[in-house]
Amino acid sequence: AQKITQTQPGMFVQEKEAVTLDCTYDTSDPSYGLFWYKQPSSGEMIFLIYQGSYDQQNATEGRYSLNFQKARKSANLVISASQLGDSAMYFCAIGYSTLTFGKGTMLLVSP
Amino acid sequence: NAGVMQNPRHLVRRRGQEARLRCSPMKGHSHVYWYRQLPEEGLKFMVYLQKENIIDESGMPKERFSAEFPKEGPSILRIQQVVRGDSAAYFCASSPPLWAEMNTEAFFGQGTRLTVV
């Protein structure tokens, strides 16, 4: 069984600052992927970034980077230079083909 | 992710009616996954299908729920005799066929919001 824990129900950040959203996971699978999704108030699930368990380097996609620490089983999302449009729910997920999601973190970006 | 098409976006059903949710995968994708999101929660896996084949239905409720992905046409998630507890957002994702490797791209449709009154 796989499990994702997101311990921050809500986070506040000022525009243009960086913010880290925490994600820890548990799995017995030797090979897995870690995903982050953004869900704005409109409800769609927007894929942000992916990290494979055997990837040596941390994944980056534009302003998003994934701080992957395999020994600690953590896969924190770092958003640099926050924008007002980043306000949304953020979900961490783990899986090989099907995904297990965390409960999410609500991020609010203030001007 | 705009390529995964779900319809309808919103569906209202009375208790006891049937709900049919449709998902057309991205072009070239032959694997479809259905997830359910209850209010204030993350997505929960329901079922994983290939064309004409159910791969994993471990997340499907044992009764009233069924899913199919025919050779032609969209994948259908069917909920019979809906109850208020079925009210949720139902998301579909698709992926390409050739990954005995891992699913590295899990793009979702915009979801169908089912309300049972």
Side-chain angles (χ1 to χ4, degrees):
Chain A
Q2 297 173 326
K3 185 179 178 182
I4 290 282
T5 302
Q6 294 181 255
T7 57
Q8 304 155 315
M11 289 285 286
F12 293 90
V13 66
Q14 276 202 310
E15 207 176 0
K16 299 181 185 175
E17 291 186 347
V19 62
T20 297
L21 305 183
D22 294 343
C23 172
T24 58
Y25 62 90
D26 194 20
T27 181
S28 55
D29 294 332
S31 184
Y32 49 89
L34 291 152
F35 300 76
W36 276 92
Y37 289 87
K38 172 184 177 181
Q39 188 175 43
S41 57
S42 51
E44 68 267 35
M45 291 291 288
I46 301 169
F47 168 74
L48 295 178
I49 196 166
Y50 163 85
Q51 176 86 43
S53 58
Y54 288 110
D55 292 344
Q56 295 296 318
Q57 291 190 321
N58 286 341
T60 61
E61 289 285 349
R63 293 186 299 111
Y64 304 109
S65 61
L66 203 152
N67 183 2
F68 181 46
Q69 299 187 46
K70 194 171 182 178
R72 294 186 177 184
K73 293 190 174 179
S74 75
N76 298 339
L77 177 71
V78 180
I79 306 174
S80 62
S82 299
Q83 301 173 355
L84 296 177
D86 293 336
S87 294
M89 280 291 286
Y90 288 81
F91 292 97
C92 179
I94 186 172
Y96 188 91
S97 55
T98 64
L99 299 181
T100 299
F101 284 79
K103 293 193 177 220
T105 295
M106 171 65 80
L107 176 66
L108 290 176
V109 181
S110 60
Chain B
N1 62 350
V4 180
M5 303 300 292
Q6 288 188 250
N7 67 82
R9 292 290 306 280
H10 300 275
L11 182 61
V12 179
R13 285 287 178 266
R14 296 187 187 280
R15 280 179 295 170
Q17 290 185 320
E18 178 181 286
R20 292 170 72 87
L21 288 61
R22 294 175 184 76
C23 170
S24 297
M26 289 177 70
K27 188 176 180 181
H29 288 189
S30 59
H31 294 207
V32 164
Y33 313 77
W34 286 95
Y35 292 80
R36 176 166 66 176
Q37 184 179 31
L38 294 171
E40 311 298 325
E41 293 195 9
L43 276 65
K44 295 258 188 329
F45 166 72
M46 298 180 74
V47 62
Y48 164 27
L49 310 103
Q50 286 178 329
K51 291 259 184 197
E52 301 184 284
N53 192 19
I54 295 176
I55 304 301
D56 180 353
E57 56 181 348
S58 58
M60 284 282 267
K62 294 286 185 278
E63 297 177 348
R64 302 187 297 107
F65 284 72
S66 62
E68 62 175 6
F69 190 14
K71 187 176 180 181
E72 301 291 336
S75 175
I76 306 285
L77 179 67
R78 183 180 177 208
I79 312 172
Q80 294 178 293
Q81 298 176 320
V82 295
V83 301
R84 288 224 169 101
D86 297 332
S87 295
Y90 292 83
F91 286 92
C92 168
S94 71
S95 66
L98 296 178
W99 39 274
E101 317 89 43
M102 209 172 313
N103 183 4
T104 62
E105 294 180 346
F107 292 112
F108 285 82
Q110 292 188 301
T112 293
R113 275 138 193 93
L114 172 66
T115 302
V116 179
V117 297

